[in-house]
Amino acid sequence: MNIFQRNLEILRQHDPALAAKIAETSGGVLRIQSAKSGVPTAMHKNRDIHSAYDPLREAERWADHQIGNCQSGETLIVLGLGLFYHVEALLAKLPQDSIIIVVVPNLSELVDGLAVRSLDGWGERVCWVWGQPESLASQVARQAKRIRLLTYEPALMIHQAEYETFRSRLRDQLAKGVSGRLHIMVVGPIYGGSLPIAGYMVRALEALGHRVSWVDHSLHAPGFQNLNAIQDSRLRMTVQQRFSDTLGVITLAHVAEDPPDLVLAMSQAPLSMAVLEQMRRKKVITAMWFVENFRHLTYWQQMIEGYDFWFVMQQASCMEAFKNAGASHVSYLPLAADPTLHQPITLTCDDQLELGADVSFLGAGYRNRREILPVLLGKEWTFKLWGNEWDRAGALALVLQRNGARIDTQTSVKIFNATSVNVNLHSYTGSGFDPDGDGVNPRTFELASCGAFQVIDHRSLLPEIFDDSMMAVVRNPDELLPVVRTYLHEPELRKIMAEKSRQRVVHSHTYVHRMQTMLSTMGLACPDRIGAILQGDRQAEALLTRSQDCPELQTLLKTFPKTDRVELVDLANAIRQKNPETKLRREELLILMMDEYRQETRDFI
Amino acid sequence: MSRSLLLQLARLGDLIQSLPVIHSLRTDFPERQLDLLCAAPLVSLGRFFSGIDRVYPWDGERWRSFSTLAGKDEKDLVEAAEHYLTDFAFDSYPLAYNLNNHPRSILAAHLFGERVIGSGDLGPLNSSRPPWVDYLHQVACERGDNRIHLADAFCGICGVMPPALTPILEPPDLELPGDITQIINDSSLIKIGIVLGAGDADRRVPVATWKRLIEGCAEHLPNSVCVLIGGAGEREIGMAVENQLSTIYLSRILNCVGRTTLPQLANVLHRCQWVVGSDTGPLHLGVACGARAIGWYFSRARVHETGPYGVGHYVWQYRGTPSTASINGAYDKEYLHVPSTWPVLETLELMQDQDGGTGLLEWELWNSKRDKWGMFYTSGEASEVGITQREEAWSQLSHCLSNHQVVSNSHAKIAG
């Protein structure tokens, strides 16, 4: 019996279906050759999957590195197959009764490995999950709690797309099963376009049942804007920087007083590197949702190492740039809408009169808009222009409403609802449409969520969010006028398309969806902290189960509702509620003692 | 033999000021073993305390680390804490004396003691304070004209009288850096310890003032050497003093800043005739080791509670600038003001056994004395009413103290 046959026997004992499938599958993904140390090694498309010198030693180092991050009680999932030297090395470092799951997106690769590497002595401790990415994700989500993904990058590259899909589906699966409640501190900007998004995030997180502390720096906006009175620009910038730094310290004080599980910052949040470094020293997990065009606003480069997680609204090139700059975790997270605010409404006659039009545009006066929108003037329809930064608007000044005032959310919802054709042009500082335009702006989602019809400029990431049956897409500025004209004469079609876009938002693109994705992404990356809490590990019921051998704690935990999240502070507070004459048990004294130290904030700032 | 534990988790000064209560407890209960629980960095010093059998470290950093262990169940945290306590073989005691009113100290007292005397005696959840603790709390909050010394109040808390004699700390001979040994052991020299640092930045004396004092010592006290004292964090101040001094004075200083452990520092201070400074911790240590002290007390430092313990010490108490000093001579409420003048010449006079003068407007000189109620400080200017009120305070706060035997019996009962 050769190695392959012996391996098949081992597999058959645990997973006969897999063994049968392997028996009828041919290899050929990996090119096997001998390493300098004499053991087999592998290549794929001229790239080494394992060391050409000593794969065993390389695997040992990988396992050492991974094991340092793992916590007891976690399920370890290995992504990246190769000749599984790394799997064997990892198992050797784990207790004998522990099992790890290895994800197999392609059986031919597994066949190659089984032909040259023996599973004797360790293969029975591996649970191989195989199939299509969706099925893999379901299997893993069903089998495992407190998942920690370990990636062996050289082999992961072979089936990168499949692994990416697997991750994404796994994240979605886990998001559905979330029962735990996090304490999330949302840090907003002082002012600007990302400010309302911070508010939507807060509402979404609360709707998901999390405890949210909103550090709302917009309260300080009048003071900050007063600094514009300082004439000397260098002096003004210095003072503004100091002001911003102070707001960062204020944020730290909030963190110190009521430590969150996660600090979630919105673009332009006034958190300096010094503040972020202090948070890291204090083991606070931080994330930033960067809802800007990374090519236009580049301050992320200075902050890249400050945040544990980055979420961006652009894909490939953006994520690559962030990774190259040193981001440890960067994920794509498009914008969204809040259907409880962005919704179809019936307008009063007065509102309809002021806010209604055949064609409208709402947004700031960027160069491309100034050049493109005049084509809509002087036609057979009414055209209204809304928004700020439209000084020296030229011919457009004739249709500029409210003298170029900033439009709030409530009014914008009315405008969207009161307009037959909403024009949605993404901002660009050049002429025409942004040739690199990828990310989709919040207005796209908000218009759709309102059930309002829109004509939008093409964005490379738009098709995976909305399709052509939901909105009219123009690919160059010349198409704008005929498309607007066409749809103005198609009220029924507009209505159907707008309703489809609204359904799409409600189904897949609300801020609640985004927050679920964001949290499950972090949960996967931090299974011992965010992940464990999301999976309900901190709920009274789960804690009770895990403290069977500590009866004193059990008595205390039973005083909490089963699904309540219970932390050290809650236990300590429960103890403090007891009759002052009570003689406390030793465990209770220890809990109180640790809580005393937990409260210490003196070195936070 | 019954055993008891004394808890003193505060800083160096408080630990040294616990020597009188240790002495009194051992005198009154010679048959009872007395152990000490103190802050981990001070354990090496506590081991030299006469009357203490065993010293346990209280490691705040360890406790802090338990409380911030991410992702751990409380069960695991409790286990981690238990392991820590087991590692140090923490014992349990029929009786614990708790000197600090901090919740951590109260909790620790109940962790180790079956019964607690002092702060938290009625349990960690009971907010009522025993009379002596309440008295100290009021003194701390109101900063009234209290005359009972903190070290004596510690005795009151534990139900014993202040000791008849001032306890002395006898540090063992320890190896010191060569240059320090050579000077410190030269009996022909008068060694003056200069405590450069302070627990808090607002209690620091300017470097230029230290320079003047050192120059004054060199000019007016033949055969004197100023021994610069401070922790590792104060090395820069020590170097600044050296840099500001003219080279002719460099042979008249010995820079020990950041070069000694606490027991070694006790060794150095043991050989000093005087110790001068504003940082009460090293001042108390110097006094406990036999030096005479001249304290410069400003900011929050107050002579009556924390003046050097024993007879023959001086404290210059800052009383505010003339413009803000209150008319009746009570301490200026704005005690956080930094002095604009310093009693340099006056300190030199005291070291030459002169009267130190009374011409300073910002400072008032106090002189330490003692009676059966413990330590007190007097000033030529101040009323003596406060001194006589101590007896009344003692009788009110320790209703059994008029009959010491009764106290002993009551404690014997408590200790089982």
Side-chain angles (χ1 to χ4, degrees):
Chain A
M1 197 185 278
N2 62 21
I3 289 179
F4 184 75
Q5 287 163 335
R6 279 204 307 275
N7 285 340
L8 266 189
E9 276 308 306
I10 292 170
L11 286 181
R12 193 168 288 124
Q13 287 166 23
H14 299 278
D15 190 343
L18 173 61
K21 197 81 180 162
I22 289 287
E24 62 193 37
T25 304
S26 57
V29 172
L30 303 176
R31 185 154 59 86
I32 309 295
Q33 53 194 44
S34 186
K36 288 269 194 295
S37 61
V39 299
T41 188
M43 293 186 81
H44 175 74
K45 291 184 179 171
N46 291 327
R47 288 177 61 172
D48 286 325
I49 302 304
H50 296 288
S51 165
Y53 293 87
D54 192 346
L56 289 166
R57 195 160 153 227
E58 177 194 55
E60 185 81 9
R61 279 201 301 268
W62 179 88
D64 277 337
H65 175 70
Q66 301 294 337
I67 209 83
N69 298 323
C70 299
Q71 307 280 330
S72 65
E74 290 175 352
T75 309
L76 306 183
I77 318 278
V78 176
L79 309 186
L81 200 58
L83 300 185
F84 19 89
Y85 283 108
H86 52 295
V87 179
E88 186 182 0
L90 185 65
L91 273 169
K93 294 182 186 303
L94 293 169
Q96 269 301 315
D97 56 347
S98 50
I99 288 176
I100 58 178
I101 294 176
V102 177
V103 175
V104 184
N106 180 293
L107 288 179
S108 292
E109 187 185 353
L110 180 58
V111 167
D112 287 335
L114 292 173
V116 294
R117 294 268 296 120
S118 171
L119 301 182
D120 271 348
W122 60 274
E124 61 280 0
R125 291 168 61 200
V126 176
C127 172
W128 310 89
V129 294
W130 49 284
Q132 294 303 306
E134 287 78 4
S135 151
L136 290 172
S138 303
Q139 292 177 62
V140 168
R142 210 170 37 243
Q143 288 182 31
K145 277 202 91 178
R146 283 184 89 161
I147 289 170
R148 182 177 288 277
L149 296 182
L150 308 177
T151 54
Y152 181 66
E153 293 289 338
L156 185 100
M157 303 298 283
I158 302 171
H159 298 103
Q160 190 166 18
E162 288 86 345
Y163 281 120
E164 274 308 310
T165 312
F166 162 75
R167 270 187 218 254
S168 168
R169 298 293 177 269
L170 179 63
R171 196 185 57 205
D172 296 344
Q173 295 266 352
L174 294 176
K176 285 181 203 160
V178 162
S179 59
R181 184 168 172 253
L182 290 166
H183 174 206
I184 301 166
M185 186 168 284
V186 174
V187 185
I190 306 171
Y191 63 91
S194 58
L195 176 60
I197 300 174
Y200 306 146
M201 271 166 57
V202 170
R203 289 164 62 94
L205 291 166
E206 284 175 342
L208 287 168
H210 301 292
R211 180 161 81 87
V212 184
S213 305
W214 185 6
V215 183
D216 182 6
H217 288 307
S218 69
L219 303 172
H220 308 288
F224 189 83
Q225 276 153 358
N226 259 344
L227 303 180
N228 287 329
I230 299 171
Q231 299 290 316
D232 183 318
S233 61
R234 282 178 62 185
L235 182 60
R236 183 174 62 249
M237 284 168 66
T238 304
V239 176
Q240 284 175 334
Q241 187 56 51
R242 297 271 172 88
F243 192 109
S244 179
D245 289 345
T246 302
L247 298 186
V249 176
I250 290 171
T251 308
L252 263 186
H254 287 296
V255 172
E257 288 210 329
D258 188 11
D261 302 306
L262 163 70
V263 168
L264 186 47
M266 200 62 217
S267 293
Q268 311 273 0
L271 300 181
S272 64
M273 273 303 284
V275 165
L276 292 168
E277 278 164 9
Q278 178 64 351
M279 287 194 193
R280 181 162 293 159
R281 273 194 290 274
K282 292 293 172 183
K283 300 178 183 170
V284 177
I285 296 175
T286 55
M288 153 70 85
W289 194 6
F290 187 75
V291 293
E292 320 273 8
N293 186 327
F294 83 104
R295 297 185 188 92
H296 299 165
L297 282 178
T298 56
Y299 67 87
W300 56 271
Q301 291 169 347
Q302 284 81 51
M303 313 297 297
I304 199 79
E305 288 176 358
Y307 289 97
D308 298 313
F309 292 90
W310 285 88
F311 294 90
V312 295
M313 50 173 268
Q314 291 158 287
Q315 267 189 347
S317 56
C318 174
M319 291 170 68
E320 197 179 331
F322 276 61
K323 279 179 186 162
N324 289 340
S328 44
H329 296 95
V330 53
S331 310
Y332 170 58
L333 190 71
L335 283 155
D338 181 347
T340 63
L341 296 171
H342 307 114
Q343 58 183 336
I345 51 169
T346 306
L347 278 81
T348 64
C349 292
D350 286 348
D351 278 347
Q352 185 64 46
L353 197 64
E354 188 209 350
L355 309 172
D358 296 323
V359 183
S360 287
F361 175 82
L362 192 162
Y366 280 83
R367 178 179 164 189
N368 64 327
R369 293 166 177 171
R370 288 166 181 266
E371 290 176 0
I372 296 169
L373 291 176
V375 75
L376 300 173
L377 291 169
K379 298 293 183 289
E380 64 274 26
W381 53 71
T382 53
F383 175 46
K384 289 182 179 174
L385 178 62
W386 304 88
N388 55 348
E389 297 176 25
W390 284 103
D391 50 314
R392 294 191 296 279
L396 289 170
L398 293 170
V399 293
L400 182 63
Q401 308 297 303
R402 293 192 177 178
N403 206 23
R406 191 176 181 90
I407 303 298
D408 60 31
T409 300
Q410 203 180 6
T411 310
S412 65
V413 167
K414 288 179 181 176
I415 292 168
F416 297 157
N417 273 278
T419 298
S420 302
V421 174
N422 288 279
V423 176
N424 179 9
L425 294 183
H426 285 78
S427 59
Y428 180 45
T429 49
S431 289
F433 293 171
D434 183 353
D436 298 317
D438 44 9
V440 177
N441 67 17
R443 196 174 307 108
T444 311
F445 298 93
E446 291 162 8
L447 281 161
S449 182
C450 288
F453 176 77
Q454 60 183 303
V455 176
I456 184 171
D457 55 332
H458 172 73
R459 309 290 287 182
S460 61
L461 293 173
L462 185 65
E464 64 186 60
I465 301 171
F466 298 105
D467 61 40
D468 287 351
S469 71
M470 298 168 185
M471 50 193 63
V473 181
V474 290
R475 293 184 175 271
N476 64 65
D478 295 339
E479 289 178 16
L480 181 62
L481 185 61
V483 168
V484 167
R485 178 170 280 136
T486 301
Y487 280 98
L488 267 175
H489 295 104
E490 297 283 357
E492 282 309 310
L493 182 57
R494 289 202 312 263
K495 198 173 164 188
I496 292 167
M497 292 173 77
E499 179 55 24
K500 283 181 79 174
S501 69
R502 174 169 161 73
Q503 289 306 322
R504 174 59 64 88
V505 167
V506 171
H507 186 263
S508 307
H509 301 300
T510 67
Y511 283 102
V512 169
H513 291 114
R514 296 298 182 258
M515 291 303 102
Q516 281 179 317
T517 304
M518 182 185 269
L519 295 181
S520 51
T521 301
M522 288 187 273
L524 267 180
C526 302
D528 53 330
R529 296 177 68 181
I530 304 290
I533 299 167
L534 286 172
Q535 297 298 316
D537 272 19
R538 298 296 319 172
Q539 289 175 358
E541 192 175 22
L543 290 170
L544 256 174
T545 311
R546 294 201 300 274
S547 57
Q548 302 280 6
D549 53 344
C550 196
E552 292 76 12
L553 270 180
Q554 288 233 322
T555 311
L556 210 52
L557 285 165
K558 280 177 184 163
T559 62
F560 292 90
K562 286 180 180 175
T563 55
D564 268 19
R565 179 174 170 184
V566 181
E567 290 293 337
L568 185 67
V569 59
D570 305 305
L571 286 173
N573 286 339
I575 297 167
R576 290 190 186 102
Q577 296 301 315
K578 292 190 170 191
N579 186 314
E581 310 304 321
T582 311
K583 182 159 177 59
L584 297 182
R585 290 186 294 263
R586 187 172 174 81
E587 289 75 11
E588 292 175 316
L589 291 167
L590 291 173
I591 292 277
L592 289 179
M593 183 69 82
M594 286 185 278
D595 190 57
E596 279 296 323
Y597 281 93
R598 181 198 59 78
Q599 291 175 42
E600 206 169 73
T601 57
R602 66 181 176 195
D603 60 341
F604 220 103
I605 293 172
Chain B
M1 186 172 69
S2 62
R3 295 170 304 118
S4 55
L5 177 72
L6 183 82
L7 292 97
Q8 176 52 275
L9 304 186
R11 295 200 272 193
L12 172 64
D14 296 78
L15 182 64
I16 301 294
Q17 291 195 88
S18 305
L19 284 170
V21 69
I22 291 169
H23 188 274
S24 290
L25 284 170
R26 286 317 299 251
T27 305
D28 287 6
F29 310 106
E31 76 293 349
R32 190 188 298 162
Q33 177 180 323
L34 183 64
D35 294 345
L36 173 68
L37 179 69
C38 67
L42 303 178
V43 165
S44 58
L45 194 62
R47 290 207 177 102
F48 301 121
F49 283 16
S50 163
I52 291 294
D53 291 290
R54 187 162 178 193
V55 186
Y56 291 103
W58 187 254
D59 191 342
E61 283 305 317
R62 286 288 293 275
W63 284 101
R64 207 165 287 121
S65 70
F66 298 146
S67 68
T68 55
L69 277 175
K72 290 284 182 195
D73 286 0
E74 278 63 30
K75 176 179 74 77
D76 302 327
L77 298 181
V78 167
E79 278 174 13
E82 286 287 13
H83 281 149
Y84 159 64
L85 298 177
T86 309
D87 287 348
F88 282 98
F90 279 97
D91 216 335
S92 57
Y93 294 83
L95 179 62
Y97 294 103
N98 178 28
L99 300 181
N100 310 124
N101 196 33
H102 197 282
R104 290 168 197 175
S105 190
I106 292 172
L107 287 166
H110 285 272
L111 259 178
F112 303 121
E114 192 59 33
R115 299 285 300 272
V116 173
I117 289 179
S119 293
D121 57 347
L122 298 179
L125 302 181
N126 196 314
S127 58
S128 65
R129 288 184 282 265
W132 273 104
V133 177
D134 198 45
Y135 171 76
L136 284 178
H137 181 75
Q138 281 180 20
V139 167
C141 293
E142 296 168 12
R143 304 187 68 86
D145 190 19
N146 160 62
R147 291 295 185 90
I148 296 179
H149 195 277
L150 181 64
D152 296 326
F154 285 160
C155 295
I157 287 174
C158 297
V160 290
M161 287 294 290
L165 295 171
T166 305
I168 293 291
L169 187 61
E170 292 274 3
D173 274 336
L174 294 169
E175 195 173 334
L176 290 161
D179 58 326
I180 297 180
T181 307
Q182 190 184 356
I183 293 174
I184 220 74
N185 288 336
D186 186 342
S187 56
S188 68
L189 297 173
I190 300 169
K191 274 88 66 180
I192 303 163
I194 305 281
V195 182
L196 292 183
D200 303 305
D202 61 353
R203 283 165 65 179
R204 286 210 177 117
V205 175
V207 168
T209 303
W210 289 132
K211 173 177 171 269
R212 282 176 52 217
L213 181 69
I214 293 164
E215 288 170 352
C217 289
E219 297 295 336
H220 300 289
L221 297 168
N223 292 329
S224 68
V225 170
C226 289
V227 182
L228 308 187
I229 286 162
E234 285 142 359
R235 281 199 182 102
E236 285 183 1
I237 301 174
M239 286 171 66
V241 170
E242 279 195 73
N243 290 340
Q244 288 203 13
L245 283 170
S246 163
T247 48
I248 58 168
Y249 297 116
L250 290 180
S251 62
R252 303 295 295 274
I253 59 167
L254 172 63
N255 190 345
C256 297
V257 179
R259 299 175 63 197
T260 58
T261 61
L262 271 179
Q264 285 176 320
L265 177 62
N267 246 276
V268 171
L269 289 167
H270 186 54
R271 291 164 173 82
C272 287
Q273 283 75 24
W274 291 94
V275 56
V276 182
S278 63
D279 189 353
T280 49
L283 274 186
H284 288 304
L285 182 59
V287 166
C289 292
R292 289 181 72 190
I294 303 176
W296 293 358
Y297 279 26
F298 57 103
S299 186
R300 286 173 294 279
R302 300 227 315 161
V303 57
H304 299 308
E305 289 103 50
T306 60
Y309 197 86
V311 177
H313 307 299
Y314 298 104
V315 168
W316 288 102
Q317 177 78 55
Y318 178 64
R319 55 183 167 188
T321 57
S323 60
T324 55
S326 53
I327 295 165
N328 64 8
Y331 295 115
D332 179 20
K333 296 284 183 202
E334 301 296 319
Y335 58 88
L336 288 175
H337 284 176
V338 177
S340 59
T341 60
W342 299 90
V344 175
L345 292 176
E346 294 74 9
T347 295
L348 286 168
E349 285 176 9
L350 289 174
M351 287 193 280
Q352 294 170 88
D353 288 330
Q354 296 169 25
D355 65 5
T358 53
L360 285 170
L361 290 173
E362 290 188 7
W363 298 86
E364 189 173 10
L365 180 63
W366 295 82
N367 189 3
S368 70
K369 295 180 179 159
R370 66 173 303 127
D371 59 16
K372 66 178 288 197
W373 305 107
M375 274 290 309
F376 61 95
Y377 274 80
T378 60
S379 153
E381 301 171 29
S383 147
E384 298 298 302
V385 177
I387 299 168
T388 52
Q389 280 173 346
R390 290 157 58 245
E391 182 175 352
E392 193 183 335
W394 269 94
S395 79
Q396 279 180 6
L397 296 169
S398 312
H399 56 277
C400 296
L401 278 183
S402 57
N403 182 347
H404 199 185
Q405 190 57 44
V406 175
V407 178
S408 304
N409 288 342
S410 70
H411 277 83
K413 248 184 264 171
I414 292 169

